[in-house]
Amino acid sequence: MKQSRRDLLAASGGVTVMALAASAGLFKSGDLHAQEWNKSAFDTKNLQDTVKAFGGSGAAESKDIAITSPDIAENGAVVPVSVTSKLGKTESIAILVEKNPNALSAAFDIPGGTEPFVSTRVKMGQTSNVHALVKADGKYFYATKEIKVTLGGCGG
Amino acid sequence: MADPMKIRANMMGDKVVVKVLMAHEMETGQRKDSAGKTIPAWFIQNVTATHNGKTVLSAQWGPAVSKNPFLEFRFSGGKAGEKVIVTWTDNKGDKRTDEATIA
């Protein structure tokens, strides 16, 4: 009787340790995720530097990437931008605004099963070329569209 | 604690269309207050969306994403009644997770 009670305690102790380890593991992955932000890429000033910060060597222009946005944005603080890629094996999509203080606005990883499409809203300081940078099958491609801004989004 | 996200997840054919509206200042770090001091940058850096434990979208954002960010994406393999969970983390370490049921 005593023996079985001891076994039970030992067993439950083990479960507690495992639960603690699991929760510690979860916290750890959460911390790692927070550090995943690619600071060097977000500090770049132009498309080619951004490609390098992502680990690529260069990007080729592609007609298979479509940028959907208004041609003229009345308010630079809220410019809707959608990117659709028709390139096979699209792995990631990034949105860059050439004349912003830092070019890269947002980068999305597209896992298998998710459509190579994203839509978001970005800030633009002034009229500028907007690039959509797509990584497909290990290579980088881009498309460019000029968006005119009548009221800047970075001033006060 | 930040305000909750508004998440809509709807079936469109065999795909799930997810639209997310987050409540966040997205301060660029470029602006100055009335006293001429720079307002420090405060923005969402990471966004992750999962469905049935599988990541369906992950993103890294810079301060150039608009205030109260909007995000739309589509994925296949979802069914009505299942959940989509979205989490963001900002550069101050603040975090917010919300979920929506696919309709």
Side-chain angles (χ1 to χ4, degrees), chain B residues 13-33:
Chain B
D14 58 346
K15 295 200 165 65
V16 182
V17 179
V18 185
K19 294 182 185 186
V20 189
L21 198 57
M22 306 168 199
H24 202 281
E25 276 303 313
M26 299 300 284
E27 190 60 59
T28 59
Q30 308 273 347
R31 298 198 309 154
K32 290 180 169 60
D33 63 15

Side-chain angles (χ1 to χ4, degrees), chain A residues 37-91:
Chain A
W37 198 66
N38 190 338
K39 188 177 185 303
S40 59
F42 280 96
D43 281 342
T44 56
K45 308 287 180 201
N46 62 55
L47 179 72
Q48 296 306 330
D49 286 352
T50 310
V51 174
K52 279 179 198 145
F54 280 142
S57 53
E61 195 157 8
S62 169
K63 287 191 167 64
D64 291 322
I65 304 165
I67 302 173
T68 312
S69 72
D71 296 329
I72 299 170
E74 275 183 30
N75 182 357
V78 188
V79 184
V81 178
S82 301
V83 178
T84 310
S85 163
K86 290 196 189 108
L87 295 161
K89 295 185 189 169
T90 293
E91 296 161 33

Side-chain angles (χ1 to χ4, degrees), chain A residues 109-120:
Chain A
D109 284 330
I110 312 290
T114 299
E115 260 189 70
F117 159 87
V118 286
S119 179
T120 186

Side-chain angles (χ1 to χ4, degrees), chain A residues 87-130:
Chain A
L87 295 161
K89 295 185 189 169
T90 293
E91 296 161 33
S92 68
I93 296 175
I95 298 170
L96 292 85
V97 182
E98 199 173 74
K99 286 188 182 163
N100 269 6
N102 299 306
L104 182 61
S105 299
F108 301 87
D109 284 330
I110 312 290
T114 299
E115 260 189 70
F117 159 87
V118 286
S119 179
T120 186
R121 299 192 296 219
V122 298
K123 295 172 204 161
M124 291 179 65
Q126 55 184 302
T127 298
S128 165
N129 279 335
V130 172

